[in-house]
Amino acid sequence: MSTSSVRSSFGGRSVVVPLIRCPLCTARVKFYVSNTEKHEGWVFYRCPVSDHFWHWELEYVGYLLDNHFLVGNEAVDALGTAEDKREELTRARNRRYAGGGAVDLPGFEDGRRSAGGGAAQISNQQAEALIGLANQILVMMKALVAALIVVAVLLGISMLKK
Ligand SMILES: [Zn+2]
């Protein structure tokens, strides 16, 4: 039974995560550790044959719960451990990125967030420019109205003189 489950530990806690069979080809899913910059140290579970089945540990545990491969206290412990690990891994990644030197990979959540911030900045600048333009138009309109009043008064005076 050593190949049908994996012991996942975090913060002194240790839980057994069953390795289920791929829902498509029934091969036993395998346990991997990501070594990409974005997900360094993240555990994922994958069908060894193809991309039939692929989940990060937290989503895999969620899948096990949804499909009753894990129930009761085992399910609670596995989900709690997976959530704590995810938090710690996310914090570790944020620390790495906060340290500078890292490049945002396009298409990932962090990249999208910074792109959205840039767009918001541009629209703020555009809004300020529009407000400035509106103020200029308002000043010109006031000057025009004042000029019209002066012309009307002058016309009135000249008509009274006749
Ligand atoms: Zn498969």
Side-chain angles (χ1 to χ4, degrees):
M1 285 298 281
S2 64
T3 55
S4 66
S5 68
V6 63
R7 187 161 285 275
S8 176
S9 58
F10 179 78
R13 279 187 293 161
S14 171
V15 290
V16 172
V17 179
L19 294 172
I20 60 165
R21 290 186 176 278
C22 170
L24 273 178
C25 71
T26 73
R28 181 82 64 190
V29 300
K30 285 189 173 172
F31 161 102
Y32 300 87
V33 179
S34 168
N35 60 4
T36 64
E37 187 189 2
K38 198 80 179 175
H39 293 104
E40 194 183 334
W42 288 46
V43 169
F44 62 96
Y45 297 79
R46 179 178 178 271
C47 168
V49 176
S50 186
D51 290 334
H52 298 151
F53 185 88
W54 191 111
H55 286 301
W56 292 118
E57 183 161 59
L58 181 56
E59 284 74 19
Y60 180 69
V61 170
Y63 179 91
L64 296 179
L65 264 63
D66 287 346
N67 293 280
H68 308 289
F69 290 105
L70 273 174
V71 291
N73 287 339
E74 267 192 339
V76 173
D77 288 349
L79 189 62
T81 303
E83 280 175 346
D84 289 350
K85 271 169 91 171
R86 169 65 58 86
E87 269 182 36
E88 176 51 34
L89 287 165
T90 306
R91 271 201 297 272
R93 181 174 67 189
N94 289 343
R95 277 199 299 273
R96 275 205 308 279
Y97 276 68
V103 178
D104 268 350
L105 299 173
F108 283 87
E109 57 251 299
D110 290 356
R112 276 205 297 275
R113 204 173 300 135
S114 65
Q121 266 181 345
I122 288 164
S123 68
N124 277 346
Q125 281 169 1
Q126 284 172 338
E128 280 173 23
L130 282 175
I131 289 165
L133 193 65
N135 281 339
Q136 279 178 8
I137 290 168
L138 206 63
V139 168
M140 281 166 66
M141 297 261 288
K142 279 179 183 171
L144 197 64
V145 169
L148 282 174
I149 289 168
V150 169
V151 169
V153 168
L154 288 175
L155 277 175
I157 290 168
S158 67
M159 279 169 77
L160 280 174
K161 280 181 181 169
K162 281 176 184 172

